[in-house]
Amino acid sequence: KEADTAEVLSGLQDGVTLGCPIAILVRNTDQRPGAYDEMAEKYRPSHADYTYDAKYGIRSASGGGRASARETIGRVAAAAVARQVLDHFHPGIEILAWVKSIQDLNATVDADTVTSEIIESNIVRTGDPAMVGPMIERIKTIRADGNSVGGVIECVIRNCPPGLGEPIFDKLEADLAKAMLSLPATKGFEIGSGFAGTLLTGREHNDAFRMVDGHVRTATNRSGGVQGGISNGETIIFRVAFKPTATIVSIQETVTADGENTELQGKGRHDACVLPRAVPIVEAMATLVLTDHLLRQRCVEQRPRG
C-alpha cells in the first residue's frame, strides 16, 4: 500500500500551466526487492519475464519493472490533468467504471443511473450492492488457496458529444480498445453489444434513429455510442476483460533464464484479484482518449467549411 503522494517537478506555477511539460513524480516508499530474488532467475508463468528477456536480453526482476501495474500511476496522474481540460471544453461529460464481474459472479448495474458514490462505497468497486459480499468472499477464498481470479470491468461515458473519432485508423472505439488493452492483465475489449451482437440479425441489432428535442437520437444503443468510428451522442459503454493475476503463491512449473526446467512458488505482495484496483485506471485511460479526440475535433470544427 503506497501513499501515492505526487510531487510536481515542472510545468506549473501558482496552479497554472506554463506551456512546458508537466512532470509528476510519485515515489515508491514500501519497496521489498528481496521478495523477488527467486524470480530474478525463474520466469513467472504468464508474466512478462520471458518476453522481456526475449526482446531486450535484460529485465527488471524486482517488482516486474514496466510490466508491473505500478506504472499505471502515471496514467492516473495524466488523466487528472486531462480531466480538467475535458471539463473546461465540454463540462458535463461523465466517465464511470465499475467491476462488472469477478469470475462467474455477475453484477447487475444500470449504466444510466449508477453513481460514483455507489461504486466507491464498497471495497470491490462494483455498482451492485447485492454482489459486494459474494465478491469479497470469492476473493478471500481464492487468496486462501494461493490462487487468483479475473473478471470484467464495465465503463460508461455519458453526455459525450457526437462527432468524436476519426474514420479509419483512429476510430474512437479503436483508440479506446488500444488504451484499455495497453493496461496490465487485460485480455479482451468489447463495446456496445460486443460479442453478444453476433447472435442477432441486422434487423434486431440496428439502432433506429429518431428526433428528440431537435437532436438526432437512437431508440436503442447496441452500437455502444459509436458508429463508423465516430461518437453518435449516445452513452458510450464498453467492457474490459482482466485475466487472473499471473503471480500466485502456488507451486508452478517453469524454466530458468538459463533454460533449465524447474519450479517456482511466487512470493511478494500480489493481489488475488486486480479488478478493484483497475477501476480508476480504466476511467483514466477513457479520460485520456476522450480528451485527445475532443481536442482534435475542436480543430475540425474551427476549419472553414464549404
Side-chain angles (χ1 to χ4, degrees), residues 265-276:
Q265 182 168 13
K267 298 178 182 178
R269 295 159 294 167
H270 310 287
D271 293 319
C273 179
V274 300
L275 274 293

Side-chain angles (χ1 to χ4, degrees), residues 44 47-49 51-52 60 63-72 183-185:
R44 286 170 288 180
H47 210 284
D49 297 340
T51 52
Y52 269 50
S60 174
R66 289 194 296 171
S68 169
R70 185 62 178 156
E71 61 89 358
T72 58
L183 295 173

Side-chain angles (χ1 to χ4, degrees), residues 68-282:
S68 169
R70 185 62 178 156
E71 61 89 358
T72 58
I73 186 68
R75 303 168 188 247
V76 176
V81 179
R83 180 74 244 187
Q84 297 178 63
V85 176
L86 203 60
D87 289 341
H88 177 78
F89 289 116
H90 200 94
I93 291 179
E94 292 182 280
I95 300 175
L96 287 176
W98 59 88
V99 173
K100 172 69 174 174
S101 67
I102 292 179
Q103 207 171 20
D104 62 340
L105 300 176
N106 290 284
T108 301
V109 180
D110 186 339
D112 293 324
T113 60
V114 67
T115 65
S116 176
E117 289 73 21
I118 292 175
I119 297 166
E120 293 296 329
S121 68
N122 62 86
I123 196 171
V124 289
R125 286 191 168 118
T126 183
D128 183 357
M131 290 306 298
V132 174
M135 286 181 172
I136 289 175
E137 287 306 310
R138 177 65 58 86
I139 295 172
K140 286 183 176 180
T141 300
I142 290 293
R143 181 189 290 118
D145 189 39
N147 212 340
S148 64
V149 286
V152 175
I153 287 178
E154 192 165 48
C155 183
V156 293
I157 303 174
R158 301 176 186 148
N159 303 316
C160 178
L164 303 188
E166 303 298 322
I168 308 296
F169 296 111
D170 294 338
K171 293 176 184 287
L172 184 56
E173 71 263 60
D175 279 358
L176 284 170
K178 182 177 181 179
M180 299 306 152
L181 293 178
S182 75
L183 295 173
T186 54
K187 284 298 180 183
F189 175 88
E190 64 174 13
I191 188 167
S193 62
F195 289 101
T198 63
L199 303 177
L200 305 178
T201 65
R203 186 181 299 127
E204 294 168 326
H205 192 272
N206 287 348
D207 297 317
F209 287 116
R210 61 183 179 181
M211 294 300 298
V212 179
D213 298 327
H215 298 282
V216 177
R217 301 296 304 273
T218 60
T220 54
N221 190 26
R222 297 185 184 92
S223 299
V226 181
Q227 294 169 330
I230 300 171
S231 62
N232 64 4
E234 301 298 327
T235 296
I236 296 172
I237 182 164
F238 61 86
R239 290 161 293 281
V240 187
F242 286 79
K243 68 182 179 69
T245 315
T247 306
I248 57 178
V249 297
S250 300
I251 296 176
Q252 302 179 84
E253 293 183 356
T254 188
V255 299
T256 67
D258 295 326
E260 298 179 353
N261 291 320
T262 185
E263 291 183 336
L264 171 69
Q265 182 168 13
K267 298 178 182 178
R269 295 159 294 167
H270 310 287
D271 293 319
C273 179
V274 300
L275 274 293
R277 294 184 187 272
V279 166
I281 306 170
V282 168

